[in-house]
Amino acid sequence: MLVAGVVLAVLVVLGVALMLFYNALVRGRNLAEEAWSGISVQLRRRHDLVPALISVVQGYAVHEKDVLSAVAGAREAGMKVAGGDARAVGEAEKGLSLALGRLLAVAEAYPELKANENFLHLQHSLTELENDLQMSRRYYNGTVREQNNRVMQFPSNVVAGWFGFRKMEYFELSGEEEAAAPKGFPVA
């Protein structure tokens, strides 16, 4: 009778531990998915702002068609991978950031454009979006780090393996020059 009670107590403790580890893994995955949703919202806002920026610059910089088409192409590439995995989205958005940096550098050559109220407003909005995107990226990467710790650390890694939880990808930029705001962005 005593042995049966001890075995039952051990099984209950193991069952509760299993439930706690499983719930922590589910909570971590849900937080990371929510954080990714925040990044998606910021990227959508960024993609929506680009056509207006191109339109304003196009009116002044008629000889810069290659830069304008590069920005439009990078935006389209970003929109195609939206909702994809972190690596594919990161690569597409890196291309858009570089293209926007070139666009803003071109704008420096047109004093009338730099003084245009619409351009200044769009440039300010883009800077705010870049800051919001950076904060969303940090939050997402923090939730992914916590989830990856759960997936890799003992004993929750055993539960993660049983239920198919895998490491998640960070949303990273590949170089320091890409992590900085593109040249031409005003400092907020």
Side-chain angles (χ1 to χ4, degrees), residues 39-55:
I39 287 176
S40 295
V41 167
Q42 298 305 325
L43 293 176
R44 199 170 316 115
R45 289 178 57 209
R46 183 187 200 197
H47 294 158
D48 290 346
L49 185 65
V50 168
L53 188 61
I54 289 174
S55 176

Side-chain angles (χ1 to χ4, degrees), residues 6-36:
V6 169
V7 169
L8 182 61
V10 168
L11 288 176
V12 167
V13 167
L14 287 175
V16 168
L18 175 69
M19 180 185 68
L20 291 174
F21 288 129
Y22 178 80
N23 287 342
L25 288 162
V26 169
R27 185 174 33 260
R29 180 182 58 202
N30 289 342
L31 283 172
E33 288 173 356
E34 174 193 13
W36 185 252

Side-chain angles (χ1 to χ4, degrees), residues 4-157:
V6 169
V7 169
L8 182 61
V10 168
L11 288 176
V12 167
V13 167
L14 287 175
V16 168
L18 175 69
M19 180 185 68
L20 291 174
F21 288 129
Y22 178 80
N23 287 342
L25 288 162
V26 169
R27 185 174 33 260
R29 180 182 58 202
N30 289 342
L31 283 172
E33 288 173 356
E34 174 193 13
W36 185 252
S37 173
I39 287 176
S40 295
V41 167
Q42 298 305 325
L43 293 176
R44 199 170 316 115
R45 289 178 57 209
R46 183 187 200 197
H47 294 158
D48 290 346
L49 185 65
V50 168
L53 188 61
I54 289 174
S55 176
V56 169
V57 172
Q58 200 169 27
Y60 289 89
V62 292
H63 303 295
E64 307 293 346
K65 290 185 193 240
D66 59 330
V67 173
L68 296 171
S69 64
V71 173
R75 174 187 180 257
E76 189 173 317
M79 291 175 68
K80 282 182 182 175
V81 297
D85 67 14
R87 181 168 296 147
V89 172
E91 287 300 314
E93 291 305 318
K94 176 177 61 173
L96 180 56
S97 290
L98 294 173
L100 284 170
R102 285 186 20 218
L103 177 69
L104 293 174
V106 162
E108 291 294 316
Y110 297 90
E112 314 85 42
L113 175 60
K114 287 184 354 183
N116 180 289
E117 193 173 313
N118 285 339
F119 177 75
L120 292 174
H121 174 70
L122 289 168
Q123 190 176 22
H124 179 71
S125 296
L126 189 57
T127 300
E128 286 179 356
L129 275 171
E130 294 297 326
N131 291 335
D132 292 345
L133 184 57
Q134 182 182 33
M135 289 185 337
S136 295
R137 185 182 307 125
R138 273 194 227 140
Y139 177 67
Y140 171 76
N141 285 340
T143 60
V144 167
R145 180 190 63 241
E146 292 299 316
Q147 179 68 354
N148 288 346
N149 287 342
R150 285 184 205 92
V151 168
M152 295 172 65
Q153 292 176 337
F154 182 80
S156 63
N157 66 337

